[in-house]
Amino acid sequence: HFSNMVSKLATSSHSQRHTYRKIVSELIEGSQKTLEYIDIFLRKCVIEYRGMEGLDIAIDVLYKFGKHVFKYIETYLGRIDSTISDRQLDDMWYVCLRTLGTAYDVDRDELMQLLHNCYQIGNVSMRDSVVHALGDIEGNDSRVWLTSIMINDESRMIRETAKEIIEDVFGTS
């Protein structure tokens, strides 16, 4: 039933999307298997419904489940199986970190520590996800860190993304 609702959400028209987003959110919320549901949902959005639209759908639903997404990262993402590609895994990290950046039920200090760890050990794709999450979080500490990334990251793409986010979110660079 849950998997079917996720498929309907992903293939729904924009006018129907709100209804299916609500149904999927309620199914996740009411489940005794929240982390399993998040895994199914995330895999469907990333693997079956590739592209930014699938990622945006995932973020739109999961932002209400920040604490669960944090637990999902600890439980699942570190032990992901080989059935998905590196790109798909990068997309799953992107969704999770962006979700945490917009979540209202996550401890900010824990989130900043997670982002710091991801940035330090991450490839370009992971660092890009961290930069986007920092833009979602906002706040002075995010701006300071984004400014440092804009100046110091080894990747030109990451430096440019940080600059764009600073301009979009904070109005200056």
Side-chain angles (χ1 to χ4, degrees), residues 48-60:
E48 293 180 30
Y49 311 107
R50 292 181 279 271
M52 282 309 295
E53 191 161 5
L55 303 183
D56 288 342
I57 289 170
I59 294 165
D60 286 346

Side-chain angles (χ1 to χ4, degrees), residues 29 62-67 99-107:
E29 192 170 19
L62 292 177
Y63 84 93
K64 292 196 265 182
F65 303 101
K67 286 184 179 183
T99 295
L100 292 175
T102 59
Y104 56 87
D105 65 341
V106 174
D107 180 83

Side-chain angles (χ1 to χ4, degrees), residues 67-158:
K67 286 184 179 183
H68 295 293
V69 171
F70 215 103
K71 185 74 174 164
Y72 174 82
I73 288 172
E74 294 172 346
T75 306
Y76 282 78
L77 279 185
R79 300 183 197 108
I80 211 80
D81 56 57
S82 61
T83 61
I84 65 169
S85 70
D86 288 345
R87 180 70 217 159
Q88 291 165 337
L89 182 58
D90 288 345
D91 286 347
M92 291 173 84
W93 273 103
Y94 175 85
V95 168
C96 287
L97 295 180
R98 293 288 311 268
T99 295
L100 292 175
T102 59
Y104 56 87
D105 65 341
V106 174
D107 180 83
R108 187 179 177 95
D109 292 336
E110 288 180 24
L111 173 57
M112 293 302 273
Q113 184 61 52
L114 172 68
L115 293 176
H116 178 76
N117 293 343
C118 290
Y119 185 83
Q120 292 302 316
I121 62 172
N123 59 20
V124 171
S125 182
M126 177 71 80
R127 294 194 323 268
D128 183 62
S129 297
V130 169
V131 167
H132 283 279
L134 287 169
D136 293 330
I137 295 168
E138 300 179 5
N140 192 52
D141 51 349
S142 295
R143 184 175 198 268
V144 168
W145 192 6
L146 284 166
T147 302
S148 175
I149 291 169
M150 179 183 75
I151 296 167
N152 299 312
D153 195 274
E154 63 192 45
S155 165
R156 184 171 143 201
M157 181 195 81
I158 299 295

